[in-house]
């Protein structure tokens, strides 16, 4: 490893990938183990429903929502796949502990992650592609983008572009699911516009709410503040990985290609579109779950 140890365990995993110490399967397994482990040691009740990122053997990412007790079972089951206590200890210290402690040599750590990845996805799992620190699965490309026609571009809104995606069947292959995702997106867009109507620029979500969220300190109504609070809570439910793309497409009217280039690190049009489409779908599913909108499927 380099002299300087990163503060963020996910950066540590990315560094190991860059240095050829681990592959993307191991990196992905490490990201999931970190979140599972954090939930396992949290003070939340065992009945609480928690969210965590998940990757399937075909390389596709999603967000899962399960009671904490099931998440603990997932975590313990995965850790049992490691070969020995040394591997489990190094994985926990580096990825799960509140104060990360990285091993001097990543050999045992890397092998433990390899066994966990194989336990979850087998030896024939589809590899993900690293791009600017982001791992993304190869997913089916969208049939088309939601880029507005030139005559509509000047007056198009976020809702126009989002509606175009819905009408073209690009939110989800299942029409009933797509309808639910569309409803969740519109609810988010309504809260966003209610909270920040007339504001120049974008909110700074990294700032505490008490600090004005980076916006100009001007009086706002209780209704506006309530809408802003709901948006922030909804973003936490989606996690930033997916919330940024949802907001870019649903609120700001970016095309899938534009959103993919901005947030996934891909430069090619097709890769950017597929990246954004996957994150948009996952984010909207998390949003629907957060809002309590039933995710119906066609019979």
């Amino acid at each position: 490893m380099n002299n300087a140890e990163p503060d963020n365990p996910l950066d540590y995993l990315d560094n190991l990938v860059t240095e050829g110490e681990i592959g993307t399967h191991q990196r992905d397994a490490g990201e999931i183990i970190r979140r599972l482990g954090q939930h396992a040691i949290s003070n939340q009740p065992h009945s609480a429903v928690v969210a965590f990122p998940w990757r399937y053997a075909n390389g596709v990412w999603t967000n899962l929502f399960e009671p904490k007790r099931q998440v603990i079972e997932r975590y313990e089951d995965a850790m049992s796949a490691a070969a020995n206590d040394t591997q489990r200890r190094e994985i926990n210290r580096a990825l799960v502990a509140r104060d990360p402690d990285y091993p001097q040599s990543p050999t045992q750590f890397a092998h433990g992650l390899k066994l966990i990845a194989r336990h979850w996805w087998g030896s024939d799992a589809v590899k993900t592609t690293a791009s600017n620190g982001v791992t993304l699965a190869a997913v089916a490309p969208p049939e088309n983008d939601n880029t507005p026609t030139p005559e509509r571009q000047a007056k198009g809104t976020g809702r126009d572009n989002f509606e175009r995606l819905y009408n073209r069947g690009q939110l989800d292959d299942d029409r009933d699911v797509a309808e639910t995702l569309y409803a969740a997106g519109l609810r988010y867009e309504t809260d966003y516009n209610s909270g920040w109507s007339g504001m120049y620029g974008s909110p700074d979500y990294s700032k505490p709410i008490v600090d004005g969220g980076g916006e100009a300190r001007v009086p706002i109504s209780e209704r506006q503040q309530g809408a802003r609070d709901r948006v922030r809570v909804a973003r936490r439910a989606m996690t930033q990985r997916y919330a940024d793309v949802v907001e870019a497409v649903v609120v700001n009217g970016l095309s899938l290609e534009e959103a993919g280039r901005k947030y996934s690190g891909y430069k090619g049009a097709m890769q950017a579109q597929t990246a954004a489409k996957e994150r948009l779908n996952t984010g909207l599913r998390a949003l629907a779950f957060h809002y309590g909108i039933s995710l119906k499927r066609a019979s």
Side-chain angles (χ1 to χ4, degrees):
M1 285 296 297
N2 296 335
N3 306 350
E5 292 184 337
D7 295 328
N8 187 338
L10 298 185
D11 292 336
Y12 173 68
L13 291 170
D14 287 335
N15 289 347
L16 290 180
V17 172
T18 300
E19 295 168 7
E21 298 284 355
I22 64 174
T24 56
H25 287 332
Q26 292 154 289
R27 192 271 177 206
D28 295 348
E31 178 178 350
I32 296 170
I33 279 290
R34 171 172 165 76
R35 185 62 65 85
L36 295 179
Q38 286 178 326
H39 285 314
I41 65 174
S42 74
N43 294 325
Q44 293 174 299
H46 280 48
S47 59
V49 175
V50 297
F52 58 94
W54 182 253
R55 216 206 84 180
Y56 296 100
N58 62 1
V60 173
W61 282 88
T62 189
N63 268 354
L64 295 183
F65 304 86
E66 294 180 352
K68 178 183 171 181
R69 67 171 63 90
Q70 292 183 20
V71 170
I72 293 175
E73 291 174 2
R74 273 187 187 267
Y75 167 72
E76 293 177 345
D77 179 61
M79 293 300 286
S80 68
N84 52 54
D85 287 341
T86 298
Q87 294 178 4
R88 286 185 278 273
R89 183 170 54 250
E90 291 193 354
I91 290 171
N92 274 322
R93 286 178 175 175
L95 302 180
V96 179
R98 291 182 173 87
D99 296 315
D101 181 16
Y102 306 119
Q104 290 187 342
S105 169
T107 303
Q108 288 291 326
F109 173 84
H111 189 245
L113 288 182
K114 181 178 181 179
L115 294 175
I116 291 172
R118 184 180 299 167
H119 170 71
W120 277 337
W121 306 310
S123 56
D124 298 324
V126 176
K127 292 183 178 180
T128 56
T129 303
S131 177
N132 293 351
V134 175
T135 57
L136 182 74
V139 296
E143 294 179 1
N144 45 48
D145 196 8
N146 64 321
T147 305
T149 55
E151 61 270 18
R152 295 190 62 188
Q153 192 160 12
K155 60 180 181 181
T157 66
R159 182 169 293 199
D160 289 333
N161 289 333
F162 186 46
E163 182 179 358
R164 188 178 302 109
L165 277 174
Y166 170 65
N167 289 335
R168 291 178 176 177
Q170 289 185 260
L171 296 185
D172 197 275
D173 293 336
D174 187 305
R175 183 68 181 181
D176 287 346
V177 171
E179 185 174 343
T180 300
L181 302 186
Y182 183 60
L186 292 183
R187 181 167 172 179
Y188 182 86
E189 185 242 13
T190 298
D191 275 342
Y192 182 98
N193 287 333
S194 296
W196 284 280
S197 178
M199 171 187 165
Y200 291 99
S202 299
D204 185 352
Y205 296 111
S206 65
K207 300 287 184 67
I209 295 176
V210 295
D211 192 33
E215 300 122 19
R217 298 190 180 186
V218 295
I220 62 173
S221 67
E222 290 185 9
R223 178 175 175 273
Q224 282 181 293
Q225 187 60 60
R228 292 184 181 190
D229 291 345
R230 289 194 298 273
V231 167
R232 290 178 183 276
V233 173
R235 284 183 61 89
R236 288 197 295 271
M238 289 186 282
T239 72
Q240 184 176 353
R241 176 184 180 91
Y242 305 104
D244 285 343
V245 172
V246 168
E247 191 164 298
V249 174
V250 174
V251 175
N252 299 324
L254 269 64
S255 69
L256 289 176
E257 180 181 341
E258 291 169 331
R261 287 178 189 272
K262 184 172 183 179
Y263 293 109
S264 74
Y266 285 108
K267 302 305 179 185
M270 189 60 67
Q271 287 181 314
Q273 288 178 33
T274 55
K277 182 180 180 182
E278 181 187 0
R279 293 196 193 187
L280 178 65
N281 180 280
T282 301
L284 290 173
R285 284 172 179 264
L287 202 55
F289 183 89
H290 168 69
Y291 289 143
I293 305 174
S294 177
L295 199 64
K296 298 179 179 178
R297 293 182 177 276
S299 55

